[in-house]
Amino acid sequence: MSKQVVSLNRVVIRFAGDSGDGMQMTGDRFTSETAGLGNDLSTLPDFPAEIRAPAGTIGGVSAFQLAFADHDITTPGDAPNVLVAMNPAALKANIRDLPRGADLIVNTDEFTKRNLEKVGYTSNPIEDGSLEPFNVHAVALTSQTVEALKSFAVSKKEAERAKNMYALGLLSWLYSRGAEGTRSFLNKKFAHKPEILAANLAAFEAGWSFGETTESFSVQYEVAPAALPTGLYRNITGNPALALGLIAAAQQAGLPLFLGSYPITPASDILHELAKNHRFGVMTFQAEDEIAGVGAAIGAAYGGALAVTTTSGPGVALKSEAIGLAVSLELPLIIVDVQRGGPSTGLPTKTEQSDLLQAMFGRNGESPVPVIAPQSPSDCFHAAIEAARIAVEYRTPVFLLSDGYIANGSEPWLVPDADTLPKIDPNFATGPNHTKADGTEEFWPYLRDPETLARPWAIPGTKGLEHRIGGLEKADGAGGISYDPDNHDTMVRLRQAKIDGIADTIPDLVVDDPTGDADILVLGWGSTYGPIGAACEITRRTGVNVAQAHLRYLNPFPRNLGDVLRSYRKVLVPEMNLGQLTMLLRAKYLVDVTSINQVRGMPFKSTELVAAITAAIETL
Amino acid sequence: MTDTYPSLSLVPKTDIAITAKDFKSDQEVRWCPGCGDYSILSNVQAFLPELGLARENIVFISGIGCSSRFPYYMNTFGMHSIHGRAPAIATGLAVSRPDLSIWVITGDGDSLSIGGNHLIHALRRNVNLKILMFNNRIYGLTKGQYSPTSEQGKVTKSTPEGSLDYSFNPVSLALGAEATFVARTLDSDRKHMTEVLRQAAAHEGTALVEIYQNCNIFNDGAFDPLKDNETRDDVTMRLVHGEPIRFGADNSKGVTRTEDGHIKVVNVEDVGEAAIISHDAHAKDPGLAFALSRLSNPRTLENTPIGVFRDINRPSYDRLVREQISDVIERKGPGDLQSLLNGSDTWNVS
């Protein structure tokens, strides 16, 4: 039976179910098929911190949102066009985000009295009329899956577990996605379990056929490919992109890559990704704690490796003293902080941008560290290479501030040509650099490059460069212990000047102000790039001019930032914190920027930013 | 040289003759006059030429405390790091640089209090590090608080009524942490220390050497029973692999097994020579080494064994890391960056 096919420009789907329902995998598969069709896309996984929260509870709901379009998009969308709710808890947790008229697919099998009561429904929403605003498709997903698999050599429980594939088949049909990728994925995943493989393939086909034949779905949709720049694409998530960036940076620098890390959500996937890449000589050290992770990285940096430690906010707190040591030793080190909700353990699986001030100031003494932040999942790759460049060229620890949203979110990525990546020069010291009064030559570990103020990177094993360094204050140049007051004043200022000077090698901030006469600038950093971009576009479509700029470099700031801030009547700074960048901007430039903030553990919705921009315009 | 020190086979040899003097740095040594650290420093400087290594391939890494100033006085590469973290830093260096001979200098506070976690994990991993723990049973640099090896009841500035903490026995701790090499020596016994350092240097993996070190300012005489001519032989049990464990003025005392499987110190003539057990540092089971470590009285130092308690073969962690990587490269070939970036699931936009 052929149905009417309707073309759409953009679709947002949210899969929601119990933690054990396989929603993340379902979302990943749908994403992969969608990427292959050439749509632009953006994803937002949202899952609980518990591995298996109590079944059927609100706390145990795991969701995956995906936006895909025939044009360039930057966010996973504010509100879904389709919600797949695998149980009452998933419905209850997500229904408030569903706009009137949206499609709602519910798994009726799970809407039992007990499951309804568990989440506080006193009547069945499928029957009591409360879902009337939506286009409800009540489907017995579980029992239809079991029915479809009755001739297969699997238990009832195993058959029930295949219901996510049934749902995926249905959605794949509904949005004219391919099936080949999912088939080959399942073939690989269940290669050693032929019965389970057959059942999952059959469940997928059954879901697809159900879509084709049921009267519940009268139309099928399609979304044309987006007009993206030509080239080879893959879909990529932030954490793996960051790992690839580190491997690429090490290769471009001709250095071995060493990771010292302790597992922590949401950063562990970087450790996992690097551990898979021993072929590149990558050394991954799972340390006994966060401090040992950074400590080992400092040891490897001292020995001449490109050294990295990966963590999240609580881990940074533990590493602070060691980062201060790296500041004092002036050794290259990359500290990756995949930020999550805080303080303390906070919200491990939810996103936040609240470690900016910790990265800037969370150490004793005057301890400046460069800070840079990627703006999207694929940008993690390039930001990692840039962090490595700064670390190596300036012999300094560098903070790379990712967050849970871009770490787990994904987007299509125009794969770069490895040959065009920038080279990084470690420029190891090879011999003496100072002549004593008596004419003999010696090595001064703190004799700085006059331009960059970087000290020599003199690694053990280099003849004639034996020297001792440590956390005690060092004499300017010669590097021996010094308690001299003037020397300390000099060294504190030199370390600061070195970091400030990095601004000479970073690009000016680029402002997107299409008409050139906007009164308002929206300035962001990190993962808010997508929502801010979408909000500015929506605002411009209403005929209001607004400028957008996004900071990749948080310390030091680009040289032109002060001028940019002063050239707009109003500057809005959206952040997923209570105004940390805002504080830095006000302190440095004495400009009264306006903070827009929320800390709900989720990215900004573009609609809320549109509202904030509109309100700001009205006050001009 | 290579045969004597298999653990250092990857470290380049010196091409010039070097002596103890070559290991002295130009820094003025600033420990208190009379500190036990001086003799340890000079013993280490006198021993190192024996290894025949290129000086630039030797690294000393320390934490914080009096002992941790040590690297400044060695004309090698050195890092004076932060409190308790030297084993972690040294681990990163050892994993990435097999061509270095790496020594960790630490104290009882540095390695057993603030850095206890890193110490036990370095020991269980068996990273190719030689850890010299200067144990003076007191906090010196912070001016005299009790340490984790101070005897219970110790009166110090922070414990005017006596400390309540039960003390650590570093050798017992190391054995419990799966250490492959554990030894104890004395700051004042140059010959003994040199022999212990020799065996530690030859060991592949982490070697923990506890060095009883006198702090003449805050805990003077802490090890006097092991040093005074009158008591020394009576309390010190010198462990030698393969030899019967006998000590005392006329070798009159020995260690024997009790009926219930424990060990105890006895008069040899009471039990007969045949009942005295021999030391076996190479025993796979750490039981005997552990039992020996428990014989000493932490207060009086009676029955204190010194020497190598345990010295067994287990591949070092850093070697295993390198072998795993080279094995992967051998099986799958070296990585190609472009194919890594491409991944397995791509599409073309034309």
Side-chain angles (χ1 to χ4, degrees), chain B residues 118-175:
Chain B
H118 310 305
L119 177 73
I120 57 175
H121 288 276
L123 292 171
R124 76 168 166 100
R125 287 192 188 104
N126 203 33
V127 188
N128 206 5
L129 307 172
K130 312 307 154 204
I131 303 178
L132 309 186
M133 181 201 289
F134 300 10
N135 180 8
N136 55 16
R137 308 186 75 179
I138 198 76
Y139 279 45
L141 201 59
T142 51
K143 301 191 176 178
Q145 300 82 11
Y146 74 107
S147 91
T149 55
S150 296
E151 56 278 20
Q152 199 175 31
K154 184 100 180 160
V155 174
T156 70
K157 280 182 194 158
S158 61
T159 52
E161 310 292 338
S163 74
L164 303 174
D165 291 30
Y166 195 76
S167 59
F168 263 139
N169 176 327
V171 170
S172 302
L173 180 83
L175 291 167

Side-chain angles (χ1 to χ4, degrees), chain A residues 245-258:
Chain A
L246 294 172
I247 293 172
Q251 184 143 331
Q252 295 306 99
L255 299 175
L257 181 63
F258 181 95

Side-chain angles (χ1 to χ4, degrees), chain A residues 231 233-234 418 460-461 468-469, chain B residues 56 76 80 97 338 341 347 349:
Chain A
Y233 280 79
R234 69 180 285 191
R468 279 64 55 192
I469 53 176
Chain B
E56 64 270 18
T76 62
H80 177 219
R97 293 291 303 273
Q338 190 63 59
L341 299 186
W347 69 94
V349 172

Side-chain angles (χ1 to χ4, degrees), chain A residues 395-473:
Chain A
R395 324 305 200 197
T396 176
V398 174
F399 261 101
L400 185 52
L401 288 183
S402 176
D403 66 37
Y405 169 38
I406 49 181
N408 289 320
S410 69
E411 65 179 351
W413 181 37
L414 178 59
V415 181
D417 178 352
D419 293 334
T420 63
L421 296 173
K423 287 276 179 209
I424 298 170
D425 182 8
N427 192 19
F428 289 125
T430 53
N433 57 0
H434 183 258
T435 310
K436 282 201 255 191
D438 67 4
T440 55
E441 298 206 302
E442 62 180 346
F443 178 65
W444 278 21
Y446 278 78
L447 194 64
R448 295 172 189 281
D449 178 289
E451 227 167 88
T452 61
L453 298 181
R455 79 173 189 94
W457 194 3
I459 63 173
T462 321
K463 205 177 183 66
L465 302 195
E466 296 87 346
H467 65 279
R468 279 64 55 192
I469 53 176
L472 287 171
E473 186 59 284

Side-chain angles (χ1 to χ4, degrees), chain A residues 7 101 122 161 209 237 262 270 296 327 376 383 433 452 486 500 523 543 548 580 597 613:
Chain A
S7 278
T122 49
R161 286 191 55 166
S209 310
T237 307
Y262 187 76
I270 303 171
V327 168
S376 75
N433 57 0
T452 61
D486 290 337
D500 291 345
L523 178 68
Q548 183 196 359
Q580 299 195 4
N597 49 62
I613 296 169

Side-chain angles (χ1 to χ4, degrees), chain A residues 360-555:
Chain A
M360 284 292 293
F361 304 119
R363 289 167 297 285
N364 61 304
E366 295 289 347
S367 184
V369 172
V371 181
I372 76 173
Q375 64 184 29
S376 75
S378 68
D379 188 44
C380 289
F381 175 81
H382 302 283
I385 296 176
E386 179 64 350
R389 177 192 72 82
I390 294 173
V392 170
E393 283 180 9
Y394 287 86
R395 324 305 200 197
T396 176
V398 174
F399 261 101
L400 185 52
L401 288 183
S402 176
D403 66 37
Y405 169 38
I406 49 181
N408 289 320
S410 69
E411 65 179 351
W413 181 37
L414 178 59
V415 181
D417 178 352
D419 293 334
T420 63
L421 296 173
K423 287 276 179 209
I424 298 170
D425 182 8
N427 192 19
F428 289 125
T430 53
N433 57 0
H434 183 258
T435 310
K436 282 201 255 191
D438 67 4
T440 55
E441 298 206 302
E442 62 180 346
F443 178 65
W444 278 21
Y446 278 78
L447 194 64
R448 295 172 189 281
D449 178 289
E451 227 167 88
T452 61
L453 298 181
R455 79 173 189 94
W457 194 3
I459 63 173
T462 321
K463 205 177 183 66
L465 302 195
E466 296 87 346
H467 65 279
R468 279 64 55 192
I469 53 176
L472 287 171
E473 186 59 284
K474 289 149 285 277
D476 181 20
I481 302 172
S482 169
Y483 299 118
D484 179 76
D486 290 337
N487 176 74
H488 179 57
D489 190 88
T490 301
M491 288 296 277
V492 167
R493 290 173 200 281
L494 274 171
R495 284 187 288 261
Q496 183 66 51
K498 179 178 84 167
I499 302 308
D500 291 345
I502 295 170
D504 292 339
T505 68
I506 66 177
D508 272 351
L509 179 66
V510 177
V511 181
D512 176 28
D513 185 356
T515 57
D517 62 356
D519 289 323
I520 286 200
L521 170 71
V522 188
L523 178 68
W525 69 279
S527 76
T528 52
Y529 174 74
I532 293 175
C536 288
E537 256 189 64
I538 295 167
T539 309
R540 286 169 193 153
R541 267 188 252 133
T542 66
V544 176
N545 296 328
V546 60
Q548 183 196 359
H550 210 72
L551 283 168
R552 179 190 205 65
Y553 301 89
L554 285 313
N555 192 38

Side-chain angles (χ1 to χ4, degrees), chain B residues 73-91:
Chain B
Y73 310 134
M74 296 295 300
N75 191 12
T76 62
F77 276 85
M79 186 198 293
H80 177 219
S81 77
I82 46 177
H83 210 3
R85 318 303 170 198
I89 293 168
T91 294

